[in-house]
Amino acid sequence: MTSVLRKRINQMSAPTQRVFSRPARKASQLMVQLSAFFSCFFVWPFTARFGRRWSIALASLIFSIGGIIQVINTHSLAAFYVARVISGIGVGMATVIIPSVMTSYWVDYGVSEHLGPTTQQWQIPIGLQLVPGGILGLGMLLTRESTRWLAKSGRTEEALQSLIWVRGGDDAEVRGEFAEILAGIREEERVTEGLTWKECLLPVNRYRFVVVVTLQIGVQLTGNTSLAYYAPQIFKAVGAGDQSLLISGFFGVVKVVSCLFFLLFLVERVGRRGSLLGGAFLMGAYMLIIACLTATHPPIAGQSLTSTGAAAVAMVYLEAMSYNISWGPVPWLYMSEIFPSRIREAGVAVGTATQWLFNFVFSQITPHAINNIGWRTFLMFCIFNWALVVYAWLFIKETKGKSLEEMEALFGSSETAIDVEKVHEQAQNSTAHAIEEKR
């Protein structure tokens, strides 16, 4: 939305100019990011008590209420800010439970090119956000609650039916998986009996919290969030000329397609650690190339897309592809895997809050960096990315193929380590008993 308004703002009416002046845009962005940051901690106990299904539904409802208020042309800056806070709460809650992907570039391009300088230029992009938000909330009415959460809550039969629904049928393999889930929960409760929130302070869990915090800081250090927030400005800075908004549209397509490709075909083949290592190295290389191209062939204001600009744009696309097969999706997956189920909501909440906090930091830094140090901004992100290669090599453990019960042994927990062999044995005995009862 910001890129559209920046292009037309001087042609808009005085009230609209006041609402979407530069300070107002910054404040609007700040409202969303900080309310999302604080809501991460609210949703943790809510999810633990009521489950993920209703947490997602509530997040969708809150987001939609904020979106509706924003779309209404109240002519009040205060009302718009309040609506941004409400939407930010919904966004923050949702990102604790599920990762978010934003693809608004084509909407921005469409309204910029085909609508005049009216309030519809900002109402349509904001209003269209209600579509995926509403679908997400309504979809929760058609799905089942988390199997593990139901089992932990003592709702065993509902948990079994949830797993059968997810797997698409009831057979011996599904029963075996369910028995292993139950056995894992019982063993986890046994070895952590009597522990409270102090479990978070155990050395192995402190390490996990440090990992998710630094991992989410690393996501921002890659520079891709900055590219996403300021795509049209970034593309102008590398020589895209007056086609920056159109090129930003394809930038969104590249991000979505590469992320889907990774999740469908690569995530269980490459592994978490390998994708983080490879992604950071490639992104650093592409950022270095962009820095060299823009330093040696600086873009000229008013000039159309040049061959050097096209090469720099291609590098930005490749950088986005590398991000979306590594540091885009993997940190969300990784931080949901490494915690025991007793403190998983807390771990994910802390990681997500870190993401929103540093998302805000880098969204404030990036435009100043582009304006003041130019091509050196890309060199800075190159250095950050290559530093992340070292970080991933030293601190990230491979979790591919590991069950939640096996994570304790992987992270060397002595206080809460689960006897995986015992879990498998209990699961096999439960499955055999269930088969005998059927006979």
Side-chain angles (χ1 to χ4, degrees):
M1 182 184 73
T2 305
S3 58
V4 174
L5 294 174
R6 187 176 289 110
K7 182 177 180 181
R8 304 287 190 178
I9 194 167
N10 291 328
Q11 302 172 342
M12 291 184 178
S13 62
T16 304
Q17 288 189 33
R18 286 196 299 271
V19 172
F20 294 107
S21 62
R22 182 179 293 274
R25 290 199 303 271
K26 284 192 173 183
S28 173
Q29 190 177 55
L30 174 65
M31 296 292 179
V32 172
Q33 292 167 328
L34 292 186
S35 56
F37 168 79
F38 288 110
S39 68
C40 292
F41 299 102
F42 157 73
V43 76
W44 161 30
F46 187 92
T47 303
R49 181 170 181 179
F50 297 104
R52 294 188 173 194
R53 182 188 179 204
W54 291 113
S55 298
I56 295 174
L58 178 62
S60 174
L61 177 62
I62 293 174
F63 172 80
S64 298
I65 291 173
I68 291 171
I69 298 174
Q70 289 175 70
V71 170
I72 299 172
N73 192 8
T74 61
H75 301 287
S76 169
L77 186 58
F80 188 81
Y81 283 167
V82 169
R84 295 291 283 175
V85 170
I86 294 172
S87 288
I89 292 172
V91 170
M93 291 175 63
T95 51
V96 171
I97 308 160
I98 52 173
S100 301
V101 178
M102 298 178 63
T103 54
S104 61
Y105 304 104
W106 283 110
V107 176
D108 285 354
Y109 177 73
V111 298
S112 175
E113 293 298 315
H114 300 291
L115 290 180
T118 66
T119 57
Q120 290 181 336
Q121 276 203 333
W122 58 267
Q123 287 174 316
I124 290 176
I126 292 177
L128 285 177
Q129 296 178 84
L130 296 172
V131 176
I135 291 174
L136 177 64
L138 294 175
M140 290 302 100
L141 303 178
L142 305 175
T143 189
R144 303 288 181 93
E145 185 52 83
S146 161
T147 300
R148 189 174 292 273
W149 181 85
L150 289 169
K152 282 189 65 180
S153 302
R155 297 157 64 175
T156 309
E157 184 58 34
E158 290 181 65
L160 175 59
Q161 294 305 314
S162 174
L163 185 62
I164 291 172
W165 182 79
V166 170
R167 299 296 183 235
D170 185 4
D171 54 28
E173 186 176 345
V174 171
R175 293 277 175 171
E177 181 182 356
F178 184 66
E180 188 162 326
I181 290 173
L182 293 179
I185 290 172
R186 285 195 295 268
E187 178 68 7
E188 185 181 69
E189 290 173 346
R190 183 188 68 79
V191 299
T192 58
E193 185 177 1
L195 289 175
T196 56
W197 61 268
K198 293 181 180 179
E199 184 176 345
C200 296
L201 302 180
L202 293 173
V204 66
N205 289 333
R206 288 204 304 267
Y207 178 81
R208 286 173 167 134
F209 277 104
V210 169
V211 167
V212 298
V213 168
T214 52
L215 195 61
Q216 288 294 350
I217 294 174
V219 171
Q220 305 305 316
L221 290 175
T222 65
N224 202 273
T225 300
S226 299
L227 295 182
Y229 267 120
Y230 299 101
Q233 298 93 305
I234 295 291
F235 284 120
K236 281 186 178 179
V238 300
D242 56 4
Q243 300 182 50
S244 60
L245 199 56
L246 175 61
I247 292 173
S248 298
F250 288 106
F251 176 71
V253 173
V254 166
K255 288 167 66 70
V256 173
V257 171
S258 56
C259 187
L260 285 175
F261 180 80
F262 174 75
L263 295 175
L264 291 174
F265 302 109
L266 295 180
V267 64
E268 293 301 332
R269 297 187 181 187
V270 179
R272 288 39 160 170
R273 188 167 182 262
S275 61
L276 292 176
L277 286 167
F281 178 80
L282 288 173
M283 286 188 287
Y286 296 137
M287 287 292 191
L288 179 60
I289 295 172
I290 295 169
C292 293
L293 289 173
T294 52
T296 56
H297 298 79
I300 301 172
Q303 188 178 39
S304 60
L305 182 65
T306 63
S307 57
T308 305
V313 168
M315 292 301 106
V316 174
Y317 281 3
L318 289 172
E319 194 277 343
M321 292 174 64
S322 300
Y323 172 82
N324 281 280
I325 61 172
S326 58
W327 287 82
V330 170
W332 298 97
L333 179 63
Y334 192 81
M335 71 180 188
S336 68
E337 291 178 332
I338 65 175
F339 287 98
S341 57
R342 283 166 63 99
I343 61 170
R344 185 173 305 112
E345 287 86 1
V348 174
V350 168
T352 307
T354 303
Q355 184 268 340
W356 279 111
L357 179 61
F358 282 86
N359 184 301
F360 162 71
V361 170
F362 276 84
S363 70
Q364 300 303 303
I365 291 173
T366 301
H368 297 290
I370 291 293
N371 291 332
N372 293 305
I373 62 176
W375 62 268
R376 296 174 185 84
T377 305
F378 303 104
L379 180 60
M380 175 184 73
F381 285 127
C382 165
I383 295 170
F384 287 162
N385 275 289
W386 283 347
L388 289 175
V389 174
V390 179
Y391 163 80
W393 179 266
L394 295 176
F395 298 106
I396 299 300
K397 300 177 184 292
E398 182 54 70
T399 60
K400 182 184 74 171
K402 303 289 185 182
S403 69
L404 293 173
E405 289 72 31
E406 292 170 329
M407 289 297 171
E408 295 298 281
L410 177 65
F411 280 86
S413 172
S414 56
E415 295 91 343
T416 59
I418 293 174
D419 189 338
V420 178
E421 294 299 325
K422 184 176 180 180
V423 169
H424 289 324
E425 183 180 346
Q426 290 177 350
Q428 290 171 356
N429 292 338
S430 298
T431 304
H433 181 68
I435 293 173
E436 287 294 327
E437 285 186 343
K438 282 189 174 184
R439 289 178 181 174

